[in-house]
Amino acid sequence: MSDGEAVDRDERPDIAVLASTDGAADVVETIRAAGGVAGTATAETVAGTDLVIAPTGDAIAELATADVSTPVLPIADDLRPETAERLLDGQYTVTERPLVAVETDSGIAHALSDITLTTAAAATISEFSLDRPDRSTPIGRFRADGVVVTTPAGSRGYAHTVGGPIVAPGSDVLTAVPISPFATDPNHWVVPLAGLSLTVERDDADVELLVDGRTVETVEPGATVELARAGTLPIVSLPDGDRE
């Protein structure tokens, strides 16, 4: 599906709500109260429905692992009645968003928006490096509270609040932005979405790995987090001013 393709349908969509969603029953009831058809499902059973509603975080990882092709609406809070009505009336677009595989010695997670390494203790400096497999020297090495790497979908979020650029949807890149860097004029990087590694060179406190805002594990000094393209997920976008 092309980037930002508007939905054109004669009938109201059959909507699945991921069963692992907090308050899944309430979301289903909101959709039914708006006159729609909805029920709960697992990542393995959403096939055949027209749209799936899932919370950001672990649910996106579930859908990515299950190789879901059904359009997904990520939500952070309860589904508002007016949002349910817009979904049922087809007032949304569907965009293929890239997913990033986040690999450590402990396993693989999937990110839709961002990957963050951050010190667990506030205002504690650690040292990080960025590298690509096709380079003989690191892209960058810096001291900071952490580093956030985003897809275009995540570039308007936390990374932008700490000084990162906004990247146009559809751009095949990642951005990397230091968090509270020790340098007064820090670098930011925009690199192809074809492979990137993050390394904790040293730490004065525990460094946590977060994927789309959820804590995955603690990363030890010298450990590397590998990032790579992991396909795409069709994401539902609502009109401006009507986002969850």
Side-chain angles (χ1 to χ4, degrees), residues 78-111:
D78 294 337
L79 185 73
R80 298 194 298 267
E82 57 268 31
T83 301
E85 292 173 1
R86 285 176 169 81
L87 292 174
L88 294 172
D89 289 341
Q91 296 179 30
Y92 61 89
T93 58
V94 178
T95 305
E96 293 286 345
R97 298 295 189 192
L99 291 170
V100 177
V102 184
E103 184 173 2
T104 68
D105 290 340
S106 300
I108 298 178
H110 291 85

Side-chain angles (χ1 to χ4, degrees), residues 63-164:
L63 296 169
T65 302
D67 196 22
V68 166
S69 59
T70 304
V72 180
L73 174 66
I75 59 173
D77 299 301
D78 294 337
L79 185 73
R80 298 194 298 267
E82 57 268 31
T83 301
E85 292 173 1
R86 285 176 169 81
L87 292 174
L88 294 172
D89 289 341
Q91 296 179 30
Y92 61 89
T93 58
V94 178
T95 305
E96 293 286 345
R97 298 295 189 192
L99 291 170
V100 177
V102 184
E103 184 173 2
T104 68
D105 290 340
S106 300
I108 298 178
H110 291 85
L112 175 67
S113 297
D114 51 48
I115 304 98
T116 305
L117 286 175
T118 181
T119 52
T124 303
I125 292 288
S126 292
E127 189 167 337
F128 305 90
S129 65
L130 306 175
D131 203 357
R132 284 178 50 81
D134 57 354
R135 291 177 57 93
S136 58
T137 58
I139 296 172
R141 186 167 178 160
F142 52 90
R143 297 178 65 195
D145 284 359
V147 57
V148 55
V149 176
T150 77
T151 66
S155 65
R156 292 179 177 272
Y158 177 63
H160 184 54
T161 68
V162 295

